[in-house]
Amino acid sequence: MAVVDEEILFIPQGARYLHTFTYMNDTGTAAKDLTGFSAQMQIRASVDDDTILYDSETAGDLLITNAANGEFTLDIPASTTKGWTFLTGVYDIFLDPDGTNLGDDKIKYLKGEVETDPDVTR
């Protein structure tokens, strides 16, 4: 995938956030097999900020859920989003074919902004 897609993620504070992604081939006609892959996502206040606001690898919230069909799922529990104090940030998601999140062949799958929707009902 030469061009990295962009998507805004709207994440409700104090509620579970569940989002399933499908990694497609370059023409978008078929899902790519993710067997053996790992996935990682971070949220920061800005691209240049050193502080990590959220790290899926540490939390264990971004998992390959249906490798044969190219599916991976971000499942952030309410207990995590409840503690978020930021309203906006930026993120990216990488897929790593060697399954370590450290490989030289990592693929930048998606990037964009995160908007946290503060909870009113508490």
Side-chain angles (χ1 to χ4, degrees):
M1 183 177 279
V3 177
V4 178
D5 286 333
E6 289 192 43
E7 182 177 335
I8 298 173
L9 301 182
F10 296 96
I11 301 178
Q13 184 183 35
R16 178 183 183 199
Y17 180 75
L18 183 64
H19 190 133
T20 298
F21 303 90
T22 303
Y23 183 43
M24 303 295 286
N25 64 12
D26 290 339
T27 61
T29 57
K32 289 187 86 166
D33 191 337
L34 292 176
T35 299
F37 278 65
S38 61
Q40 182 181 19
M41 170 191 179
Q42 289 184 345
I43 299 173
R44 298 174 189 255
S46 70
V47 173
D48 298 325
D49 200 318
D50 289 332
T51 302
I52 299 169
L53 301 173
Y54 170 78
D55 186 342
S56 70
E57 188 171 34
T58 303
D61 298 335
L62 186 62
L63 301 171
I64 307 298
T65 49
N66 188 337
N69 290 319
E71 292 180 2
F72 59 102
T73 301
L74 179 60
D75 188 357
I76 306 173
S79 58
T80 298
T81 66
K82 183 176 184 173
W84 288 1
T85 57
F86 63 91
L87 295 177
T88 62
V90 295
Y91 76 95
D92 55 20
I93 295 175
F94 281 87
L95 299 172
D96 190 351
D98 76 6
T100 65
N101 288 332
L102 301 171
D104 292 334
D105 295 327
K106 287 174 31 170
I107 300 157
K108 190 170 188 175
Y109 170 76
L110 190 65
K111 68 179 182 176
E113 297 178 5
V114 172
E115 294 186 15
T116 303
D117 186 18
D119 58 346
V120 174
T121 304
R122 305 187 259 280

